[in-house]
Amino acid sequence: VQLQASGGGLVQAGASLRLSCAASGFNFYDYAIGWFRRAPGKEREGVSCINGHADGTYYADSVKGRFTISRDDAKNTVYLQMNNLEPEDTAVYYCAAARQYYYWVPTPQDMTYWGKGTKVTVSS
């Protein structure tokens, strides 16, 4: 099982980034994929989640209206489009998978597989 997040970088406030999470080694379409982040000095928190077969998307209040999660099951990839980035979005972003159906953004403890993170830095 492998999850690889990519697409991070250094941007100015108000800019956009698109993160990608490429997965392999499991039945991707049956799994919910979540994006999580860990800001400096803070606990890892859930950002967004998309259920298997794109049956439901969920967002943390802090990113609603700015971030959009999507998936391409043909490519085993989930995307996180991040618009109007703020300095508070600075963090290492991780993607994770779980064979569960969620009605809200899951906690890190809910997830089974994790990838290495990609760093996002937003300057003011």
Side-chain angles (χ1 to χ4, degrees):
V1 173
Q2 197 166 25
L3 293 164
Q4 181 61 58
S6 62
L10 170 63
V11 297
Q12 290 189 327
S16 299
L17 282 174
R18 189 176 80 155
L19 304 184
S20 298
C21 174
S24 62
F26 59 98
N27 292 333
F28 180 77
Y29 43 84
D30 283 339
Y31 278 67
I33 306 295
W35 283 100
F36 299 80
R37 66 186 182 187
R38 176 176 283 159
K42 294 187 177 181
E43 297 290 322
R44 192 175 300 195
E45 65 173 355
V47 174
S48 183
C49 177
I50 186 167
N51 282 321
H53 308 281
D55 185 17
T57 58
Y58 306 95
Y59 300 92
D61 287 344
S62 58
V63 306
K64 276 181 184 175
R66 299 188 297 121
F67 290 12
T68 303
I69 192 170
S70 61
R71 65 190 294 156
D72 184 341
D73 287 348
K75 296 182 179 179
N76 281 13
T77 302
V78 168
Y79 304 98
L80 186 68
Q81 178 67 42
M82 307 187 297
N83 297 331
N84 194 21
L85 283 160
E86 302 169 352
E88 293 74 22
D89 296 317
T90 294
V92 178
Y93 285 72
Y94 302 85
C95 59
R99 198 169 187 271
Q100 298 289 340
Y101 188 93
Y102 294 106
Y103 297 91
W104 48 75
V105 178
T107 66
Q109 291 76 13
D110 293 326
M111 309 308 286
T112 304
Y113 304 127
W114 287 86
K116 295 181 179 179
T118 185
K119 188 173 183 180
V120 173
T121 304
V122 185
S123 63
S124 57

